[in-house]
Amino acid sequence: MSLRALREVTPVSGDEAFRNEIRDWLAANLTDDLRGAGGPGRENEAFAQRLAFARRLAAAGWTTLAWPVGHGGRGASLARQVIFHEEYARSAAPSRVDHIGTTMVGPTLIELGTPEQQQRFLPRLASVDELWCQGYSEPGAGSDLAGVTTRARLDGDQWVLTGQKVWTSLAHVADWCFVLARTSPAVEGESRHRGLSYLLVPMRQPGVTVRPIRQLTGDSEFNEVFFDDARTDRDLVVGKPGEGWRVAMATLAYERGAATVGQQIGFQRDLDDLVALARKAGAAADPLLRTRLARAAVDLTVLRSHTVRTLAAPSPPPANPSVVKLLWTRWRQALAELAMDVLAFQGSEATADEVERWQRLFLFSRADTIYGGSSEIQRGIVAERVLGLPRGDRR
Ligand SMILES: Cc1cc2nc3c(=O)[nH]c(=O)nc-3n(C[C@H](O)[C@H](O)[C@H](O)COP(=O)(O)OP(=O)(O)OC[C@H]3O[C@@H](n4cnc5c(N)ncnc54)[C@H](O)[C@@H]3O)c2cc1C
């Protein structure tokens, strides 16, 4: 089977009029300088231009495609969301700067926010006039998220926050942060999930300090965030005070979805480019490198078929997000490692730009198996929920 044939195994078909609508919009609005901008390890690249592009997307109603019509969205079916992400990725449109807001906070507020919170935040989320970051992880709480120690107490009509978050992606450009904080002490013998609250906190105030963290790639996409008597209004708690765990988990459930399909089209482009580089370098004739390239093509086809099938399933298996995360992170790390071997192949004629691109992906992809739930945690979930093995020491 040719690479092309493999690639066409699982196209999302139907709704050609809708597909043409997004294709036409992209053809009219996507300028060459924006193609391929941003992405893994390049989150700060052409940021102002990508923000302007996100606002154009928003004005055309694309950023809130999945939101219900009653909340200013287009109420698109899952199939249409997948088509949008396919076409977006296929056109090499820039990596989105609004994803934390439009795909995580917006849907959370639609599901669990008060009408006042929805009126206050949804329009500016939809128009990408306000950017958001996610304040969950702390130096002592990552996988064990219920261990957060950032505290918030009421002072009149405001919450006052003290504590530290870490690895906060895009905090340096965010206007708002959704923060998981402890608002009442953990009680011995009770679940530590109780007493946590989900607060919406303005970033641009004297009590908030953002310090960039330099990553392996040399760039700083995430940060430490310090709250020193930072303030937010009493009514900017989502869900009831003390019951923020449920809200925090709802947000995480929105993190992955139809966009996964677009990500896999980006993977296909990476693979195509690596095959082209391997041909140029003569590495495509090397039996071991050829085998690994072919395996990458097969594994990507399996990943894509699995994703499309389970996205469309009425009730996908409960551990499915864990399986997909394990599969795609392993795939991308393997591709990046393969790219290093192709670059190292004797006589490689890679340009400086090609070397930079693949090295950056190699370095950044080390993080893939950490963020969004580490591989060890995902394997623990599969062990418990798929295999029915006894629960480990995860609390
Ligand atoms: C690029 C990147 C961006 C991020 N962006 C954000 C963000 O915007 N907002 C945010 O809040 N956080 C963010 N994070 C943080 C991320 O969510 C955490 O790094 C992740 O949850 C792991 O937590 P930790 O780093 O504290 O590691 P730990 O939880 O301390 O884990 C350390 C090691 O122990 C393993 N381990 C832990 N518990 C278990 C267990 N029960 N069983 C087996 N193994 C275990 C882990 O797999 C890991 O290998 C980001 C991280 C990265 C890398």
Side-chain angles (χ1 to χ4, degrees), residues 134 136-137 142-143 167 169 222 367 370-371 374 376-377 393-394:
Q134 175 187 19
Y136 283 10
S137 305
S143 306
W167 320 125
S169 302
F222 55 27
I370 301 172
Y371 63 81
S374 72
E376 289 78 7
I377 294 296
D393 65 357
R394 189 163 45 88

Side-chain angles (χ1 to χ4, degrees), residues 118-130:
Q118 291 169 351
Q119 276 164 22
R120 161 66 185 85
F121 291 107
L122 292 182
R124 294 179 74 75
L125 275 162
S127 59
V128 198
D129 280 321
E130 287 174 342

Side-chain angles (χ1 to χ4, degrees), residues 18 61-78 80-82 84-85 96 102-103 106-107 110 254 257-259:
F18 180 77
W62 295 115
T63 50
T64 52
L65 197 59
W67 292 14
V69 175
H71 287 291
R74 290 177 66 172
S77 64
L78 186 61
R80 283 191 168 192
Q81 294 172 46
V82 168
F84 168 80
H85 288 293
R96 298 269 292 272
T102 49
T103 65
I110 289 169
Y254 286 116

Side-chain angles (χ1 to χ4, degrees), residues 100 104 132-145 165-171 177-178 215 221-223 252 255 364 366-380 384 392-395:
I100 298 177
M104 294 173 78
W132 286 75
C133 62
Q134 175 187 19
Y136 283 10
S137 305
E138 297 184 359
S143 306
D144 181 24
L145 188 57
K165 297 292 173 180
V166 73
W167 320 125
T168 320
S169 302
L170 299 176
C177 185
F178 52 98
Q215 292 164 242
E221 301 175 352
F222 55 27
N223 307 270
L252 289 184
E255 192 172 0
F364 185 83
R366 308 323 299 167
D368 289 344
T369 44
I370 301 172
Y371 63 81
S374 72
S375 287
E376 289 78 7
I377 294 296
Q378 308 297 351
R379 280 194 284 272
E384 285 168 27
D393 65 357
R394 189 163 45 88
R395 284 170 283 179

